[in-house]
Amino acid sequence: MQANNAEELEALRIKYLSKKGAINDLVTEFRTVQADKKREVGIKLNELKTRAQEKINNLRAQFERNSDKNNDLDLSRTAYPVQLGSRHPITIVKNEIIDIFSRLGFSIAEGPEVEDDWHVFSALNFAEDHPARDMQDTFFIESHPDILLRTHTSSVQSRVMEVNQPPIRIICPGRVYRNEAISARAHCFFHQVEALYVDKDVSFTDLKQVLLLFAREMFGADTKIRLRPSYFPFTEPSAEMDISCNICGGKGCGFCKHTGWVEILGCGMVDPNVLELNGIDSKVYKGYALGMGVERITNLKYQVKDLRMFSENDMRFLKEFEAAY
Ligand code: DAH
């Protein structure tokens, strides 16, 4: 008797162990066994029944195990493709900015995100009562109001100047925090890249040239720039830079509010006070600085309408940038 699969095994069970099976026939015939042989034959019959049942059960378990293996585990099958991630759009654009400035001789400097008041505000010439220090904008550590989350990467300027003498030519990419209600247009954290150049004979013309080159490298050779006077505590004079809207080409559209221009960064000549506060002789050295938001540049390049998309890690959104790098 042999069974090669579950069906054959069931046929065997029916043949031998069912009510009308061969073993039951023997049990029926047991009545005819002579009285003095009953004990001996009875024991053998029981043994036969138990062993047959055991054998059927074991074989059934074995067939079940084999069929599970056949369904789930095929060691010869090719592995599932490993899903590779892709670069985050903010990283792609940040790297592009870094790349443009490194070709101009800037090197990368970094500083802590948890900062102190001195590096974020005081060393950058913020007056004691400047509104940027306000609780509305800045995340302070409750038990220690001198410690805060940096609100801009300009803090790295001060960290670099306090331990280096010119020439200084650095960019500072990093994350910054502001106490803003989260919406499509604002978030409580975002990314900036700061640039600082301090040397003898640095002029506003140098700044303007770097700005123009950056805009053209980033947004295309036809890009125009314009500077509007502005105010920052750490630069004098200060300016904001607009580029010709790269979505409508300067004709006017919803994105540029029909002006043809979009603001992308703040800049200026480093205020002599800032040089002095950080141990650099302002009679010998001059500098320029600029700072931009990476999300803003990314929006302009890729027209992401909702800032929250950058931090939701939705695969459908992230996959759209696979080709970009
Ligand atoms: N720190 C400024 C901000 O967060 C941006 C900025 C403006 C940086 C002018 C600069 C600068 O270096 O010169 O809004």
Side-chain angles (χ1 to χ4, degrees):
M1 94 185 183
Q2 213 184 348
N4 294 313
N5 55 44
E7 288 86 57
E8 286 177 27
L9 184 67
E10 179 60 8
L12 275 184
R13 190 192 66 79
I14 289 167
K15 188 169 173 196
Y16 291 100
L17 278 166
S18 66
K19 270 202 174 129
K20 291 185 179 146
I23 293 182
N24 238 1
D25 287 350
L26 289 179
V27 174
T28 317
E29 278 176 43
F30 181 69
R31 268 185 262 128
T32 63
V33 173
Q34 284 175 12
D36 59 339
K37 295 263 162 83
K38 266 205 157 101
R39 186 181 144 76
E40 194 189 336
V41 174
I43 290 173
K44 287 233 157 80
L45 197 57
N46 268 339
E47 205 179 292
L48 175 69
K49 201 173 167 179
T50 319
R51 285 177 66 176
Q53 187 68 57
E54 260 173 27
K55 186 149 192 176
I56 299 253
N57 288 349
N58 287 345
L59 275 172
R60 186 183 291 138
Q62 194 181 320
F63 288 143
E64 273 168 16
R65 273 201 303 277
N66 284 349
S67 80
D68 281 354
K69 265 189 212 152
N70 289 342
N71 288 340
D72 294 345
L73 187 69
D74 174 0
L75 293 176
S76 65
R77 204 163 67 184
T78 354
Y80 287 116
V82 177
Q83 282 231 350
L84 285 182
S86 55
R87 286 232 198 278
H88 192 279
I90 295 294
T91 308
I92 296 172
V93 171
K94 183 190 75 181
N95 286 348
E96 241 177 284
I97 301 171
I98 291 174
D99 187 56
I100 296 169
F101 279 94
S102 25
R103 277 185 267 134
L104 292 167
F106 286 76
S107 51
I108 296 176
E110 285 179 310
E113 292 178 14
V114 180
E115 259 292 7
D116 50 29
D117 178 280
W118 171 259
H119 292 97
V120 176
F121 298 127
S122 301
L124 295 172
N125 203 34
F126 280 78
E128 207 51 59
D129 55 357
H130 193 282
R133 292 169 185 252
D134 199 296
M135 288 287 193
Q136 304 283 302
D137 287 314
T138 309
F139 287 115
F140 291 92
I141 308 297
E142 220 163 29
S143 58
H144 203 316
D146 191 46
I147 307 294
L148 44 94
L149 294 179
R150 68 180 179 193
T151 56
H152 55 183
T153 45
S154 306
S155 54
V156 186
Q157 283 192 22
S158 152
R159 291 227 165 245
V160 169
M161 285 191 278
E162 70 190 359
V163 291
N164 293 289
Q165 283 298 308
I168 292 171
R169 190 153 36 183
I170 49 146
I171 45 168
C172 328
R175 184 176 284 180
V176 300
Y177 301 83
R178 287 186 199 177
N179 191 3
E180 302 254 9
I182 296 169
S183 71
R185 302 171 60 96
H187 212 295
C188 61
F189 67 82
F190 53 99
H191 301 79
Q192 289 187 331
V193 178
E194 179 88 12
L196 173 73
Y197 180 35
V198 185
D199 205 345
K200 291 174 182 154
D201 302 324
V202 178
S203 71
F204 201 92
T205 321
D206 299 323
L207 169 62
K208 215 173 152 185
Q209 201 55 39
V210 162
L211 291 173
L212 182 62
L213 188 132
F214 169 74
R216 287 183 174 167
E217 289 286 308
M218 196 74 202
F219 297 105
D222 313 331
T223 311
K224 296 186 192 61
I225 63 167
R226 77 175 184 191
L227 294 173
R228 284 176 291 101
S230 185
Y231 173 77
F232 300 101
F234 36 91
T235 43
E236 181 57 36
S238 304
E240 276 167 317
M241 180 173 94
D242 298 340
I243 58 163
S244 48
C245 178
N246 78 321
I247 291 164
C248 61
K251 287 190 211 78
C253 68
F255 194 87
C256 60
K257 300 199 186 81
H258 304 283
T259 62
W261 296 94
V262 281
E263 183 202 318
I264 64 161
L265 55 78
C267 59
M269 299 305 291
V270 180
D271 192 303
N273 282 344
V274 173
L275 295 176
E276 294 294 336
L277 282 164
N278 292 287
I280 290 175
D281 188 345
S282 65
K283 285 186 245 24
V284 183
Y285 297 108
K286 283 184 176 14
Y288 66 69
L290 60 103
M292 68 189 93
V294 182
E295 276 78 354
R296 177 122 188 101
I297 309 277
T298 311
N299 278 352
L300 264 171
K301 282 204 84 144
Y302 297 112
Q303 284 114 64
V304 179
K305 295 217 169 61
D306 190 330
L307 266 184
R308 289 168 292 195
M309 304 281 273
F310 289 127
S311 48
E312 276 168 356
N313 277 342
D314 186 325
M315 288 291 285
R316 290 164 300 180
F317 171 70
L318 296 175
K319 271 191 173 300
E320 289 190 33
F321 298 90
E322 265 175 356
Y325 117 92

